[in-house]
Amino acid sequence: AFAASFLIVIHIFLYRVFMGSGSSTNNDNNYSINNGMAILAVEDQETKMTLSEAHSHTLKPINVHPIDTEQYTIRINTWQRNELLLLSINHHAQCEGVKEIQIIWCDSNNEPPDEVVHHASGKVRVEKHIINSLNERFKVMMDTPTLGILSLDDDVLRPCVALDAAFLRWTRHPERMVGFDARTHVLVAGDSNEESKEGGLKNNNNDEKPKWKYGYMSTTESSNRYSMTLPRASFLHRDYLDLYSLALPRPIYVYVAQNLECEDIAMSFFVSSLTNGRPPLIADYWAVKSMVKLYSEKKISGGKDHKSTRDACVNDFAELLGLKEDGEWPLQTDKLIHKNQFFGYGAEIEDWVGMDPLSFRLSPRLQGVIESMQALQSTSNERRMGWLMQQKAETMREANAAGMIENTEQWKERWG
């Protein structure tokens, strides 16, 4: 076991050195082309380790360096939505918990704006990628100052206190993803003519087995069960980003690269596979509902085949990752909404009341988060909602003034 773990560490070290050198991303002969765009680097065309080997990997402990239990690194995935990106950076740079903001820039035809590259906060670094693939959001080409990573889309904002509360939850469970978006999978009877006719990996030849479909939020809430989260807003351990590139089965990796779709399902299922089928954890309900969505005319996802594509991804990815009922690590579902609908959400809910802030070796900021949660639990629901609305109002202030919050007066004035 020690020898296997040592070899995995060497794999990851060499991969980081290789990526950090930039040699593969600056050579036109080192990537695959699809529709005129680079989608797959040569070093990513084959796995460097098996899933079983990835299971043997021991995550770096977060209690060695104090920064790993105090702050986190945000990695924002963006594509030609510079106004949204700058609004996101402006907000998140104000959060004390944010050590650095890394921008995954895959638009090789355009340079990132100066306001981003030279952001006044001093927290922003731009990571340029030649490859245009959603896999790239998990491909770290520059070092991260923390082991805790907050993966974000460019159109999602949340109050700093919501991020801190979720980060605290992650530090107590660093082997899990801690997300803000819960989704589920749905089992349906096998049908060789229905499930895989749109997209899919076309390698699931047992049509008698129950198939899985993607459960949207309405399905998730009505069933009150969930099994995945979305990396558009999720905390996860830095090591999982490397393992995704090194060990994710190549049919999944290539499918994401070719179709610009389903990387969120891939990462959620991948981490669940590496944690023996356990579902991700979800932030408190109030933190989930604190989201501020920025308006964009340019939608990144959607289209007539969007649902059938995600159905196929859920079914085929689960098969390849050993998460089906007969797999090596069957995926578990868990209860979503609990009795206390302001706090408890998802598996292993946090017991804020039972926490002693002084017993944790935390900064005054994070001790204050625990004390705030305890105070909120002892007050009326009306006051809780008032507090939450105030947090959201502060979070959206700049975006609202710019007319980027849909259906507000400022948005109507700008967009008609």
Side-chain angles (χ1 to χ4, degrees):
F2 173 79
S5 296
F6 179 74
L7 286 174
I8 291 169
V9 170
I10 294 298
H11 271 308
I12 291 175
F13 173 76
L14 291 175
Y15 187 80
R16 288 182 182 175
V17 169
F18 185 67
M19 291 311 306
S21 69
S23 59
S24 67
T25 58
N26 293 310
N27 186 332
D28 288 347
N29 296 320
N30 280 342
Y31 46 75
S32 299
I33 304 295
N34 185 30
N35 295 326
M37 304 191 79
I39 62 164
L40 194 65
V42 66
E43 72 272 8
D44 294 325
Q45 292 177 11
E46 295 181 358
T47 57
K48 306 299 187 295
M49 63 175 70
T50 66
L51 268 181
S52 294
E53 289 172 334
H55 269 261
S56 300
H57 175 70
T58 301
L59 299 177
K60 289 184 177 62
I62 68 168
N63 58 358
V64 174
H65 304 291
I67 192 172
D68 291 319
T69 55
E70 294 290 339
Q71 291 182 292
Y72 49 91
T73 302
I74 292 181
R75 287 177 58 83
I76 300 179
N77 193 53
T78 188
W79 178 259
Q80 296 183 352
R81 303 199 295 188
N82 291 344
E83 184 177 6
L84 276 67
L85 176 61
L86 192 57
L87 286 169
S88 177
I89 293 172
N90 288 347
H91 167 66
H92 292 110
Q94 298 177 56
C95 298
E96 292 181 44
V98 176
K99 177 64 176 177
E100 185 169 282
I101 301 173
Q102 298 183 347
I103 309 302
I104 300 109
W105 190 266
C106 296
D107 185 1
S108 58
N109 294 323
N110 296 287
E111 290 296 314
D114 286 343
E115 305 97 307
V116 170
V117 177
H118 305 293
H119 194 265
S121 68
K123 292 185 175 183
V124 178
R125 287 203 294 165
V126 178
E127 184 181 271
K128 291 185 179 181
H129 296 238
I130 286 180
I131 305 298
N132 179 36
S133 163
L134 288 174
N135 289 318
E136 298 295 295
R137 74 181 302 163
F138 305 129
K139 189 172 184 178
V140 180
M141 296 170 58
M142 58 174 61
D143 200 14
T144 62
T146 66
L147 291 176
I149 305 296
L150 175 58
S151 174
L152 278 183
D153 282 0
D154 58 9
D155 60 351
V156 175
L157 310 180
R158 277 189 173 84
C160 298
V161 66
L163 301 181
D164 277 344
F167 175 66
L168 270 171
R169 185 153 163 71
W170 176 80
T171 61
R172 290 160 64 80
H173 310 274
E175 77 286 359
R176 309 283 283 278
M177 287 181 73
V178 175
F180 292 85
D181 299 279
R183 298 292 186 270
T184 194
H185 67 276
V186 179
L187 271 66
V188 295
D191 185 339
S192 59
N193 294 317
E194 179 185 355
E195 296 300 319
S196 295
K197 65 183 180 182
E198 296 285 356
L201 306 185
K202 301 178 182 178
N203 66 341
N204 183 5
N205 53 20
N206 186 352
D207 294 320
E208 299 304 316
K209 292 170 61 176
K211 304 255 182 156
W212 288 17
K213 283 188 173 184
Y214 181 78
Y216 286 88
M217 194 65 226
S218 58
T219 303
T220 305
E221 290 186 333
S222 64
S223 67
N224 201 27
R225 308 292 296 183
Y226 81 102
S227 57
M228 69 184 93
T229 192
L230 307 180
R232 72 171 181 174
S234 290
F235 282 98
L236 71 167
H237 197 289
R238 165 71 169 79
D239 284 5
Y240 284 134
L241 304 184
D242 288 327
L243 292 171
Y244 180 97
S245 295
L246 291 167
L248 186 73
R250 286 308 92 161
I252 300 178
Y253 200 94
V254 172
Y255 183 86
V256 171
Q258 291 177 339
N259 293 277
L260 287 173
E261 179 66 273
C262 296
E263 89 292 350
D264 48 357
I265 297 169
M267 178 57 91
S268 184
F269 276 8
F270 181 60
V271 175
S272 285
S273 175
L274 296 184
T275 52
N276 300 317
R278 288 186 294 173
L281 300 179
I282 308 296
D284 280 341
Y285 187 75
W286 69 266
V288 170
K289 296 303 180 181
S290 71
M291 181 180 74
V292 173
K293 191 80 160 58
L294 300 179
Y295 173 74
S296 175
E297 288 186 296
K298 183 182 293 186
K299 306 297 183 184
I300 291 178
S301 62
K304 64 183 180 65
D305 294 329
H306 183 66
K307 185 182 185 306
S308 60
T309 297
R310 292 182 76 77
D311 287 345
C313 288
V314 164
N315 184 70
D316 297 342
F317 292 5
E319 187 78 44
L320 286 165
L321 289 166
L323 295 174
K324 289 288 189 77
E325 295 81 355
D326 59 349
E328 194 167 355
W329 307 286
L331 181 61
Q332 303 160 30
T333 66
D334 217 305
K335 185 177 182 179
L336 183 61
I337 300 174
H338 296 261
K339 185 176 181 180
N340 186 336
Q341 292 191 15
F342 194 80
F343 286 96
Y345 205 52
E348 301 175 39
I349 60 176
E350 291 301 325
D351 177 19
W352 294 108
V353 172
M355 291 186 193
D356 178 3
L358 299 179
S359 69
F360 294 90
R361 299 167 66 180
L362 298 174
S363 65
R365 180 189 98 252
L366 293 177
Q367 289 180 354
V369 171
I370 296 175
E371 291 167 354
S372 294
M373 296 302 101
Q374 292 173 341
L376 283 168
Q377 285 199 322
S378 64
T379 193
S380 67
N381 191 58
E382 183 180 358
R383 289 192 175 183
R384 291 173 182 171
M385 294 306 299
W387 173 84
L388 179 57
M389 291 303 102
Q390 181 182 4
Q391 295 294 325
K392 289 188 69 171
E394 292 174 358
T395 299
M396 70 171 67
R397 182 173 289 115
E398 182 185 4
N400 191 42
M404 296 299 289
I405 306 298
E406 195 166 1
N407 295 325
T408 62
E409 290 302 319
Q410 293 87 341
W411 178 83
K412 293 174 183 176
E413 182 178 339
R414 176 173 176 179
W415 302 98

